[in-house]
Amino acid sequence: MKLNEYEIKHAAAVRRLAPECVVLLKRDGTFPLDAPGKLALYGSGARRTVKGGTGSGEVNSRYSVTVEEGLEKAGFEITTKPWLNAWDETVKTARKAFVAKIRARARKKHIPAPLEGMGAVMPEPEYGFSFLGEGDTAVYVLSRISGEGSDRNPIKGDILLSDSERRDILKMNESYPRFLLVLNVGGPVDLSPVKDVKNILLLSQLGAETGNVLADLLLGKSYPSGKLATTWAAWEDYSRIGEFGDADETRYREGVYVGYRYFDSMGRKPLFPFGFGLGYTDFETKITDADERSVSVTVKNTGYFSGKETVQLFAAVPSVSLDQSPRKLLAFAKTRELLPGEEEKLTVPFDLRDAASYDEKTACYVLEKGDYTILAGDIPAVTLRLDETAVLRKVRSALGKPDFTDWKPERPVTLPAADKVIRIFAADFAAETVQYGAEAQIDPIIEELTNEELACLNTGRFDSRGVITGMIGNASSTVAGAAGETACVHGFPPLVMADGPAGLRISREYYEDEKGVHALGDTMPESVMELLSPMERKVMALMTRRKKPSGEVKEQYCTAIPIGSAIAQSWNTDLAEELGGIVGAEMERFGVHLWLAPALNIHRDIRCGRNFEYYSEDPLISGKMAAAITRGVQKHPGRGTTIKHFAANNQEYNRIGSNSQVSERAMREIYLRGFEICVKESQPHALMTSYNLLNGVHTSERRDLITDILRAEWGYEGIVMTDWVIGGMKQIRNPRHRNALSDRVAAAGGDLFMPGSKGDWKNLMCALKKGTLSRRQLEENATRVCRMAKKLTEAEHA
């Protein structure tokens, strides 16, 4: 296997950065190891290591290093080959039966098998073979996979441990002098049956270098320094207040009490709380100073290994007319590498406005009168005593109303005040005013276009037959395997888009001829292709018009970076920015303008099948990480991110027609907040709306969401596109809610209806004729698209 120079460089960067994404949950001091030797290796992820989830986030990297391969390269002798071989056969048999069941269900429902089985999770099968292997050291790699299109389930082999896993993990913990449970997962697993295991490492899914990263960690060549960005608890301890998984209506009854906010408010102790993480070493953190803008600390490495420590600031907010959780994440910072005995002084800045709440009655963001205690971890640093309620921003009520009132705790939990108290004054907080309804400037060239041309610019590119091509990975004439592109009208260059978010997903190989580029091999994700019958594969080959290459076969292998939830666990925005830079460099190399990532929906429920793509249960760290990734990508000329899925997209089941019922307060404080931070800190070039409805209206059709909140309140300057809306995409028969419509999306201020078809174009033309859609609105949308196309294409050629 011969790698290109950029592949070598990017892989080395991922291997260097990834240990910061790894969280050590438990330790007894027996790791790291002094040297490689005999090692008993077990578990579903030992040989079948998961580099990332399934669906649009699958990355076509040239290789992926398994744990087994990484350990053997590092010099370990694996003594459990028979066990691993037996596991392989067990999985193959189980997988064959699992796929057959999906195909049978699809036939019964009269829908394609890939639609029925997209992202479907096969529970890890039970097994009964012996586990004994030579050596004093054993590693059990527990893996889970999930993906786009399906959600996880609280059953054995998925969220719960299988009986076989629980049995063997406990036995190995007793039998081997050194035992490590490694979690090769994208989201929480209920570890309560094995909570007493001596060493537990959340490796996560770190891209193509996952196996090498674990080998480095075991040998002490690197060290884990991550912290949890999502609460890990026993399954029965998670909130059941809100709904999840209904095909038609999902009520977010829990309001703002998501993740640690719920656990804190209930006084319920999880297995491993939000923000928790150990290292090979120990740290002592002392508060040295604090005021109304920052907290200063000294962090000292008091252990025997090198490491990095994260300082997390929380705000305890007073509850006056608005109920509050005990604390909200306010800021964070990470030290440099500290050698044993070394210390670093950190000053962590914060903005108290980030602790603001939204008052639905007055349609204002406010800091209510009272005491705001700033905590460094769980230690009070300073209490800021606000004399009167401060109004920070007056906005319009928006987003509709759910059919319920948000839950709130019966007995609010309050945290102690700090010894140091500083008086602050509402008069010092300037109230922001929002200008709604500002008329967008139309490009003179756009004014000259016909209605037909304007309609083309408001939809994605479709071929001469009027057929969509974006779902089958052959949607661009210049980049093989691209997800879609904009129409080329009146000389405006098209914008080429590729999927993400754990790297760039385009075809591995392609060739060029006079008609453009043509992908070689399967263009759809592997998880989808396996669900096709032989006949369906033949039809797919015809649809993508694959044929024998008539020219030179070229390569475009991309780097698989850590998944979003792992990146958040680094608590390091510089790391996120560097990973974004890797993607930006590969976009530049292969001619992609817009990366359909990062995704920053909230980890509302651990069952969401796509949580691995998303960062956290907390909006602040989500927004900060997405902004950093965006800066890394957009440092490269002509490249941009597409933040998604805007908004309240928190389940995969019937995501196209599910109605998320959410209060305006919960939307603004939890589900929109991360997007707001990302927009204000990095101005991503594009944003993608979600499939779901929000309080009865598709998010892509909500003018109050797109034009009022996103553009007027936040000052967003980029383009807005839909997710890939295709008429036949239905997971259930006779759904209550229809799909989004191109004319209503355009009227809301959505610039691009993707991936685009002749039918979508006709909808726009009919709406213009009826007068339900104005030409002026199409001109505004088209101006934004064309200006972005000109900006990015001119930058790439500068």
Side-chain angles (χ1 to χ4, degrees):
M1 179 176 65
K2 185 178 180 181
L3 301 179
N4 293 300
E5 186 177 340
Y6 77 89
E7 292 178 274
I8 297 170
K9 177 184 175 184
H10 291 169
V14 170
R15 187 170 178 174
R16 170 176 51 82
L17 295 170
E20 290 203 46
C21 306
V22 177
V23 185
L24 185 59
L25 296 175
K26 292 194 70 178
R27 72 173 200 219
D28 70 352
T30 56
F31 292 92
L33 304 173
D34 294 330
K38 289 184 177 182
L39 186 142
L41 179 64
Y42 305 95
S44 54
R47 182 173 286 172
R48 295 172 173 266
T49 307
V50 180
K51 76 177 192 294
T54 64
S56 62
E58 292 181 49
V59 179
N60 293 326
S61 56
R62 190 186 296 270
Y63 67 91
S64 181
V65 181
T66 68
V67 167
E68 181 184 22
E69 291 168 342
L71 293 177
E72 288 184 327
K73 284 181 187 176
F76 286 94
E77 179 188 344
I78 306 302
T79 64
T80 48
K81 294 288 186 178
W83 193 100
L84 297 174
N85 293 337
W87 174 253
D88 267 353
E89 292 306 311
T90 300
V91 172
K92 286 175 186 176
T93 301
R95 191 71 193 176
K96 188 175 180 181
F98 182 71
V99 170
K101 285 181 181 178
I102 291 174
R103 289 175 179 167
R105 290 201 308 269
R107 285 193 298 270
K108 190 174 181 179
K109 293 180 180 180
H110 306 288
I111 62 175
L115 190 58
E116 171 67 19
M118 178 183 278
V121 175
M122 182 187 83
E124 296 298 326
E126 301 286 356
Y127 60 89
F129 33 90
S130 174
F131 74 83
L132 290 177
E134 275 190 80
D136 292 334
T137 303
V139 173
Y140 191 103
V141 184
L142 184 143
S143 71
R144 294 290 189 267
I145 193 166
S146 63
E148 179 179 10
S150 291
D151 292 308
R152 300 175 64 200
N153 294 294
I155 59 174
K156 293 177 181 179
D158 189 356
I159 289 175
L160 307 181
L161 298 177
S162 71
D163 291 337
S164 306
E165 290 170 334
R166 178 178 49 79
R167 178 198 66 216
D168 282 0
I169 289 168
L170 291 176
K171 281 186 178 179
M172 290 175 196
N173 189 55
E174 295 173 358
S175 303
Y176 289 92
R178 290 187 295 269
F179 174 67
L180 176 65
L181 172 59
V182 174
L183 306 173
N184 173 220
V185 299
V189 175
D190 183 351
L191 297 178
S192 54
V194 296
K195 65 180 185 300
D196 293 328
V197 166
K198 293 171 286 191
N199 298 283
I200 304 177
L201 184 77
L202 174 54
L203 180 65
S204 194
Q205 296 162 354
L206 304 173
E209 289 291 314
T210 301
N212 287 333
V213 173
L214 179 59
D216 291 343
L217 289 165
L218 286 183
L219 292 172
K221 294 180 180 179
S222 61
Y223 49 83
S225 65
K227 305 282 186 185
L228 292 179
T230 288
T231 303
W232 281 54
W235 165 247
E236 62 268 17
D237 287 341
Y238 285 103
S239 171
R240 297 289 181 276
I241 298 165
E243 298 174 350
F244 181 89
D246 186 81
D248 298 313
E249 306 293 329
T250 301
R251 293 171 177 84
Y252 291 41
R253 298 182 189 275
E254 71 278 11
V256 297
Y257 296 92
V258 178
Y260 69 88
R261 289 169 167 83
Y262 168 77
F263 282 91
D264 288 352
S265 298
M266 295 295 289
R268 187 172 291 180
K269 188 176 180 181
L271 293 173
F272 303 104
F274 175 85
F276 175 79
L278 305 171
Y280 287 152
T281 192
D282 296 302
F283 294 96
E284 181 182 73
T285 301
K286 291 183 178 179
I287 298 169
T288 57
D289 195 14
D291 58 27
E292 63 271 32
R293 293 186 179 87
S294 65
V295 173
S296 296
V297 299
T298 299
V299 180
K300 184 175 182 179
N301 183 343
T302 59
Y304 301 100
F305 296 92
S306 298
K308 295 182 180 181
E309 177 67 319
T310 299
V311 177
Q312 302 155 349
L313 300 187
F314 292 89
V317 178
S319 176
V320 183
S321 62
L322 299 173
D323 52 289
Q324 301 288 350
S325 61
R327 60 186 183 135
K328 302 177 181 179
L329 183 65
L330 192 61
F332 57 91
K334 197 167 189 175
T335 68
R336 57 177 171 81
E337 179 177 270
L338 297 178
L339 302 177
E342 227 182 343
E343 66 179 34
E344 180 180 0
K345 295 179 180 178
L346 277 181
T347 296
V348 186
F350 66 85
D351 187 339
L352 192 61
R353 290 175 295 184
D354 287 330
S357 302
Y358 181 72
D359 185 353
E360 291 184 3
K361 291 180 180 178
T362 61
C364 291
Y365 287 88
V366 298
L367 290 170
E368 291 196 300
K369 174 183 177 179
D371 285 359
Y372 291 78
T373 297
I374 311 304
L375 304 102
D378 56 2
I379 304 171
V382 63
T383 293
L384 306 177
R385 185 159 292 159
L386 181 62
D387 65 335
E388 299 290 344
T389 294
V391 175
L392 306 183
R393 191 193 322 164
K394 171 70 176 172
V395 298
R396 286 179 178 172
S397 294
L399 307 178
K401 292 188 180 296
D403 61 10
F404 60 85
T405 301
D406 282 352
W407 175 87
K408 58 183 178 181
E410 293 180 6
R411 297 190 200 91
V413 177
T414 57
L415 298 178
D419 292 337
K420 183 176 183 179
V421 178
I422 298 176
R423 290 178 59 82
I424 58 175
F425 305 95
D428 293 335
F429 292 91
E432 180 186 345
T433 57
V434 179
Q435 182 182 0
Y436 296 98
E439 194 169 86
Q441 188 177 5
I442 307 299
D443 193 301
I445 297 176
I446 298 298
E447 292 177 329
E448 298 173 5
L449 299 181
T450 65
N451 286 349
E452 291 79 5
E453 290 172 323
L454 282 175
C456 278
L457 284 172
N458 276 253
T459 60
R461 182 185 73 87
F462 49 87
D463 66 18
S464 58
R465 300 167 295 162
V467 176
I468 55 175
T469 55
M471 283 296 290
I472 52 179
N474 197 26
S476 170
S477 59
T478 58
V479 179
E485 67 181 19
T486 57
C488 186
V489 174
H490 211 272
F492 286 106
L495 289 171
V496 179
M497 308 167 192
D499 259 323
L504 205 60
R505 190 170 75 82
I506 50 181
S507 298
R508 295 179 178 92
E509 295 181 332
Y510 71 99
Y511 70 95
E512 292 181 82
D513 61 18
E514 67 281 355
K515 294 181 181 179
V517 298
H518 306 276
L520 292 171
D522 297 323
T523 56
M524 296 187 77
E526 293 175 13
S527 59
V528 174
M529 294 302 297
E530 74 166 338
L531 299 175
L532 299 176
S533 66
M535 179 58 71
E536 288 169 330
R537 283 177 179 264
K538 287 182 181 179
V539 172
M540 181 65 68
L542 290 173
M543 288 176 68
T544 53
R545 298 188 295 277
R546 283 182 277 134
K547 59 183 181 181
K548 234 177 161 181
S550 58
E552 177 190 358
V553 174
K554 299 181 180 180
E555 296 179 340
Q556 45 184 18
Y557 287 98
C558 298
T559 303
I561 64 174
I563 58 174
S565 58
I567 294 172
Q569 288 167 186
S570 74
W571 292 72
N572 186 339
T573 54
D574 290 339
L575 175 146
E577 188 167 329
E578 188 170 348
L579 290 172
I582 289 173
V583 177
E586 293 181 2
M587 292 170 69
E588 198 170 351
R589 170 176 288 271
F590 297 122
V592 174
H593 300 110
L594 291 175
W595 185 36
L596 302 180
L600 62 151
N601 295 98
I602 291 295
H603 293 180
R604 172 181 177 251
D605 191 299
I606 66 166
R607 287 173 287 183
C608 178
R610 224 163 164 183
N611 274 354
F612 72 94
E613 293 188 30
Y614 311 147
Y615 296 110
S616 175
E617 65 192 23
D618 182 84
L620 185 132
I621 191 170
S622 298
K624 295 287 185 181
M625 290 297 165
I629 288 275
T630 295
R631 288 193 297 271
V633 169
Q634 294 185 175
K635 282 180 180 177
H636 293 267
R639 315 301 149 189
T641 62
T642 307
I643 60 173
K644 62 183 186 183
H645 307 86
F646 192 64
N649 182 112
N650 299 102
Q651 74 178 44
E652 287 298 291
Y653 180 58
N654 195 33
R655 58 189 172 146
I656 296 163
S658 176
N659 179 34
S660 297
Q661 293 197 38
V662 197
S663 70
E664 187 179 4
R665 182 186 177 191
M667 282 300 300
R668 287 182 177 271
E669 290 189 29
I670 304 294
Y671 301 102
L672 297 182
R673 181 69 179 126
F675 287 95
E676 180 182 9
I677 291 168
C678 183
V679 165
K680 290 181 174 179
E681 292 191 2
S682 67
Q683 276 295 339
H685 292 328
L687 174 145
M688 180 190 291
T689 54
S690 54
Y691 282 127
N692 58 281
L693 296 86
L694 172 60
N695 295 328
V697 180
H698 276 283
T699 57
S700 56
E701 296 179 359
R702 293 208 75 109
R703 191 171 181 85
D704 53 2
L705 180 64
I706 295 169
T707 300
D708 292 348
I709 293 176
L710 176 63
R711 291 203 171 104
E713 293 183 23
W714 302 350
Y716 180 61
E717 299 169 359
I719 60 174
V720 175
M721 68 179 77
T722 65
D723 206 333
W724 269 224
V725 180
I726 296 174
M729 285 179 62
K730 290 183 175 68
Q731 283 183 300
I732 60 171
R733 299 182 72 181
N734 304 316
R736 179 182 298 175
H737 304 293
R738 61 165 174 79
N739 284 2
L741 299 173
S742 57
D743 56 317
R744 299 194 184 188
V745 169
D751 304 313
L752 280 170
F753 196 87
M754 295 300 294
S757 71
K758 192 67 172 284
D760 302 327
W761 179 86
K762 284 182 177 178
N763 278 348
L764 294 174
M765 295 302 296
C766 288
L768 281 171
K769 189 174 181 180
K770 290 179 187 175
T772 55
L773 175 64
S774 69
R775 177 182 165 90
R776 169 78 192 189
Q777 185 63 60
L778 282 187
E779 288 176 340
E780 287 185 14
N781 302 346
T783 293
R784 286 189 286 263
V785 172
C786 292
R787 283 180 178 168
M788 186 59 69
K790 186 177 180 183
K791 174 181 179 178
L792 296 186
T793 54
E794 285 183 355
E796 73 175 331
H797 296 302

